[in-house]
Amino acid sequence: MAVRTLQSVIEQHIAGLPGLIAVLIGRVTDGATVAKVTYASDSQEEQALERLGTYAGDLLQANSRLCQTVSPVQEADYLLAGTLALRVVIKAFPKSPYFVLFLTRSITDLKTISDRLKAILIDGKPLLPPVQDDTLSTAQALISYAKRYAPDPNFVMLRLSLKTGIDRNRLEKGTLNRQELRILYKAVADLLGREHLPIALPS
């Protein structure tokens, strides 16, 4: 019996979908792709598809911030974008820092995309990589996230050091205990004007 993976789930649910260019599962926090199926015709197109995850993470973050200006408790988890020739559909996994992205030609029926996407969300969720929960990696993830989305990334470390009272060198190394990690989480959230971040703290 074959072992089920995120990629096999994608392959199962996109079979026979006309006009498909790529489907990927990525992380909102850094845009990293954790599973994908592409039909790239050359290396340049493949490189462009690699950047899709990064763009998708940025789009979801920006869209959530935009929606929160109208309704602070809401976070957007769905996006539809594209051109006359191409369509991008992005949907976040519920209560998870992961998303599914479909890139198709405009001839592809939106209802069909939606049905396939929902199936991937349901079958793929149990197979998602666990959220990193050791304090070193979490601290580094929080700092990386702050640098990525802060309006003035060059001063992020200085501001976080001042906000947390933690020496900048220790912040950069990520060697924090659980209490310091909670302080850092709140400092990053305050810096970005958010109540919650898509990075889990160790329990």
Side-chain angles (χ1 to χ4, degrees), residues 99-172:
F99 62 85
V100 179
L101 180 148
F102 271 63
L103 176 64
T104 71
R105 310 208 183 277
S106 56
I107 58 166
T108 312
D109 179 57
L110 264 178
K111 172 77 165 61
T112 307
I113 295 174
S114 179
D115 291 342
R116 307 289 182 102
L117 197 152
K118 286 175 184 174
I120 292 173
L121 289 172
I122 292 168
D123 288 352
K125 187 159 188 184
L127 302 171
L128 292 173
V131 177
Q132 186 62 259
D133 65 359
D134 69 83
T135 56
L136 177 62
S137 294
T138 305
Q140 291 172 336
L142 285 166
I143 291 167
S144 175
Y145 188 80
K147 287 180 178 178
R148 185 175 177 81
Y149 293 108
D152 50 355
N154 293 329
F155 297 98
V156 162
M157 294 307 297
L158 176 61
R159 293 180 68 183
L160 288 178
S161 180
L162 291 171
K163 273 180 168 291
T164 61
I166 301 170
D167 181 78
R168 182 171 175 168
N169 289 332
R170 289 190 60 230
L171 282 177
E172 288 176 344

Side-chain angles (χ1 to χ4, degrees), residues 3-73:
V3 176
R4 208 161 195 221
T5 64
L6 283 173
Q7 183 163 336
S8 68
V9 167
I10 294 174
E11 290 170 345
Q12 173 191 345
H13 291 300
I14 66 173
L17 183 65
L20 185 68
I21 299 170
V23 177
L24 63 85
I25 295 174
R27 279 196 304 264
V28 177
T29 49
D30 57 6
T33 299
V34 296
K36 68 175 179 175
V37 175
T38 67
Y39 300 95
S41 59
D42 58 44
S43 60
Q44 186 174 353
E45 188 175 2
E46 178 71 20
Q47 288 175 359
L49 291 173
E50 281 292 328
R51 293 194 293 270
L52 268 181
T54 301
Y55 296 149
D58 287 342
L59 283 171
L60 282 170
Q61 293 296 331
N63 201 34
S64 285
R65 291 196 296 272
L66 178 64
C67 291
Q68 286 175 346
T69 62
V70 178
S71 180
V73 297

